Amino acid sequence: MRFPRLCVLFVAVLGLTPLTRAENLGTIGPTYPIAEKSLLEVIMARLRAKEASGELKKLEQEARDRAAFAVNNPKPVSGLRRAEAPRTFYFDPSFTLHTNVVDERGAVLFPAGTRKNPLEVVSLSKHLLFFDARDPRQVARARELIDHYQGKVKPILVGGSYMDLMKRWNKQVFYDQDGTLVRKFGITAVPAIVSQEGQRLRIDEVPAK
């Protein structure tokens, strides 16, 4: 019968099992304690050394200077050129609703597809003047336009330091971050001044004298 033979095989396997357990084979060569410093300890030691030498204070000051420069001198708007010839064009700020505008009860105030012009509700109270403060001729032209419109102008830079200009003019100066407005209006050359004319915006690119 096969049963006794299977039993013998099973017992043989069990008999071999103790041979597979881990055994202490002794020491195979010299051993040493782990003496490597942690990464944090290394970093802290270097920082303390830089602090003692004054290098850390210098690095902190350089970081503050870089941050201050970046704030005072934003990245110039790309793709613009200096206006060489007058150009006048118009921008219609009207927009179309893509979804319904509802009140707190869910009642539809303005259905999707409604076309609205913001100038029907709010007028442009000041002219918007875009120019590059890195160009002295544009700065001079901007000053002329501000005086011409008796100060009813909002200066908006596309390059240069708005902080320096605010100190010189003692007047609030804005910055068109990432060129959001000039691209929306289609302005390609500066100085350019935006004015309201009826229910649309008139844009004049005016050369600097």
Side-chain angles (χ1 to χ4, degrees):
M1 299 177 60
R2 296 182 59 189
F3 179 74
R5 294 178 62 185
L6 290 174
C7 289
V8 172
L9 180 60
F10 183 71
V11 172
V13 171
L14 289 179
L16 291 174
T17 301
L19 298 178
T20 63
R21 70 175 183 270
E23 296 184 17
N24 186 357
L25 301 179
T27 302
I28 311 177
T31 60
Y32 305 94
I34 299 176
E36 183 180 355
K37 293 183 180 180
S38 70
L39 180 60
L40 181 59
E41 290 176 347
V42 173
I43 293 174
M44 292 304 296
R46 291 180 179 176
L47 285 176
R48 284 191 290 267
K50 290 182 181 295
E51 184 178 19
S53 66
E55 185 179 355
L56 183 60
K57 186 176 181 179
K58 180 182 177 182
L59 292 174
E60 290 175 348
Q61 184 59 49
E62 289 176 351
R64 283 194 292 268
D65 292 343
R66 286 194 299 270
F69 182 83
V71 170
N72 295 332
N73 299 270
K75 184 179 178 181
V77 178
S78 61
L80 295 176
R81 56 183 174 79
R82 183 192 298 121
E84 299 294 345
R87 181 171 82 106
T88 300
F89 58 99
Y90 292 87
F91 175 79
D92 182 359
S94 299
F95 63 93
T96 302
L97 296 176
H98 298 291
T99 58
N100 294 336
V101 176
V102 300
D103 60 14
E104 65 278 2
R105 299 179 182 178
V108 177
L109 298 175
F110 302 100
T114 300
R115 185 173 176 81
K116 284 292 181 181
N117 187 331
L119 295 177
E120 296 174 1
V121 181
V122 181
S123 298
L124 190 65
S125 59
K126 291 185 177 182
H127 302 275
L128 307 181
L129 177 58
F130 298 88
F131 63 102
D132 192 334
R134 296 172 299 174
D135 184 351
R137 288 185 294 175
Q138 292 192 41
V139 175
R141 182 63 169 140
R143 184 72 258 184
E144 291 175 358
L145 291 169
I146 292 172
D147 294 339
H148 174 75
Y149 290 106
Q150 300 178 346
K152 294 183 178 180
V153 175
K154 181 177 289 187
I156 306 174
L157 296 188
V158 295
S161 173
Y162 66 96
M163 291 294 292
D164 291 345
L165 199 57
M166 278 198 293
K167 292 176 183 177
R168 286 168 52 190
W169 285 359
N170 193 27
K171 179 181 179 65
Q172 191 170 16
V173 177
F174 301 87
Y175 204 96
D176 188 9
Q177 196 73 31
D178 298 324
T180 303
L181 291 177
V182 293
R183 292 192 176 92
K184 183 178 184 65
F185 294 146
I187 295 172
T188 58
V190 288
I193 189 162
V194 180
S195 312
Q196 181 175 349
E197 192 172 286
Q199 298 302 309
R200 55 183 184 167
L201 298 176
R202 171 175 171 160
I203 302 166
D204 292 286
E205 296 177 349
V206 290
K209 295 180 181 179

